[in-house]
């Protein structure tokens, strides 16, 4: 039978040659899988690190927003306090109530641009009242400073909100990529382990 095989040009492999072939095959697969696994592992680690950093940034932004909201209200409260002490005693109830209503509108959740327009109009009317009632001009400067601080807080709030939206979008994209890559990462890890075990077995057979 072996004579017929040799005559047909078919070479019979020894056991050692067969084992060497199997070992070579496992080594080839391992090289290929390890390369892909390493690249994917680096990518996943970076994505997960980025996701952690984004989460920290979003937490800090949320905290900063709370501080800014509180500060903005405090600035308006300080402006109201100045008016109540320095100007309202010189005004009739209707005019004082109108100023209180205007400040209430300014304190609301409005866009910084709208706040600026409203603030300009408010300060113009206030200036006329202060001159008319003979109140101290320094009150006007103090009120203007408080209102400017309040609007700057609102400006920063708007910027943070816009940054948050971008971060949320980026975070969603990263989490989507992580979810997409993890099954392949797990599959490669399993394949590498399987080929390492098989290689270990066949290497021992060579001895």
């Amino acid at each position: 039978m072996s004579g017929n095989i040799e005559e047909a040009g078919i070479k019979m492999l020894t056991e050692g040659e067969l084992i060497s072939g199997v070992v070579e095959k496992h080594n080839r697969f391992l090289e290929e899988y390890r390369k892909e696994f390493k690249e994917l592992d680096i990518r996943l680690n970076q994505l997960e690190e980025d996701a952690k950093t984004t989460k920290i940034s979003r937490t800090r932004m949320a905290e900063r927003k709370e501080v800014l909201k509180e500060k903005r209200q405090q600035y308006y409260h300080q402006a109201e306090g100045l008016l109540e002490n320095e100007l309202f005693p010189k005004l009739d109830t209707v005019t004082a109530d109108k100023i209180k209503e205007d400040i209430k509108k300014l304190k609301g959740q409005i866009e910084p641009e709208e706040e600026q327009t409203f603030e300009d109009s408010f300060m113009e009317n206030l200036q006329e009242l202060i001159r008319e009632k003979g109140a101290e001009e320094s009150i006007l400067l103090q009120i203007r400073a408080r209102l400017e601080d309040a609007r700057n807080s609102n400006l920063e709030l708007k910027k943070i909100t816009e940054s948050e939206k971008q971060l949320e979008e980026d975070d969603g994209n990263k989490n989507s990529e992580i979810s997409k890559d993890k099954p392949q990462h797990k599959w490669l890890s399993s394949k590498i382990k399987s080929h390492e075990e098989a290689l270990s077995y066949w290497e021992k057979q060579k001895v």
Side-chain angles (χ1 to χ4, degrees), residues 109-162:
Q109 288 187 335
I110 57 175
E111 289 290 314
E113 297 78 16
E114 188 185 348
E115 192 173 11
Q116 176 69 73
T117 305
F118 200 5
E119 184 187 311
D120 290 343
S121 171
F122 177 81
M123 289 306 298
E124 197 177 313
N125 293 335
L126 194 62
Q127 187 172 14
E128 286 178 21
L129 267 175
I130 285 171
R131 284 177 182 165
E132 184 187 314
K133 300 299 176 182
E136 290 288 331
E137 287 281 338
S138 62
I139 299 167
L140 193 69
L141 295 174
Q142 290 178 67
I143 299 293
R144 189 185 297 279
R146 299 298 183 281
L147 264 55
E148 278 297 306
D149 287 338
R151 194 176 66 84
N152 286 334
S153 295
N154 203 13
L155 272 169
E156 192 180 340
L157 265 169
K158 185 179 180 181
K159 285 176 185 172
I160 290 174
T161 301
E162 286 168 356

Side-chain angles (χ1 to χ4, degrees), residues 74-200:
Q74 281 176 353
Y75 290 133
Y76 280 121
H77 183 69
Q78 287 168 8
E80 278 181 300
L82 280 164
L83 288 167
E84 282 173 5
N85 292 332
E86 306 294 336
L87 186 62
F88 286 180
K90 302 176 189 292
L91 301 177
D92 60 84
T93 309
V94 175
T95 307
D97 286 347
K98 172 70 170 67
I99 292 173
K100 287 178 186 174
E101 194 59 37
D102 285 346
I103 290 178
K104 190 178 175 182
K105 285 179 185 175
L106 277 165
K107 281 166 77 173
Q109 288 187 335
I110 57 175
E111 289 290 314
E113 297 78 16
E114 188 185 348
E115 192 173 11
Q116 176 69 73
T117 305
F118 200 5
E119 184 187 311
D120 290 343
S121 171
F122 177 81
M123 289 306 298
E124 197 177 313
N125 293 335
L126 194 62
Q127 187 172 14
E128 286 178 21
L129 267 175
I130 285 171
R131 284 177 182 165
E132 184 187 314
K133 300 299 176 182
E136 290 288 331
E137 287 281 338
S138 62
I139 299 167
L140 193 69
L141 295 174
Q142 290 178 67
I143 299 293
R144 189 185 297 279
R146 299 298 183 281
L147 264 55
E148 278 297 306
D149 287 338
R151 194 176 66 84
N152 286 334
S153 295
N154 203 13
L155 272 169
E156 192 180 340
L157 265 169
K158 185 179 180 181
K159 285 176 185 172
I160 290 174
T161 301
E162 286 168 356
S163 297
E164 270 184 325
K165 285 176 186 172
Q166 187 58 55
L167 272 181
E168 194 175 336
E169 189 180 322
D170 292 345
D171 199 28
N173 291 337
K174 284 186 181 75
N175 286 328
S176 174
E177 287 181 54
I178 289 168
S179 298
K180 185 182 74 178
D181 288 344
K182 276 217 164 170
Q184 179 69 0
H185 185 264
K186 189 178 177 182
W187 181 83
L188 285 166
S189 177
S190 173
K191 281 289 181 185
I192 289 167
K193 188 181 176 185
S194 171
H195 280 288
E196 281 174 343
E197 288 170 354
L199 186 62
S200 175

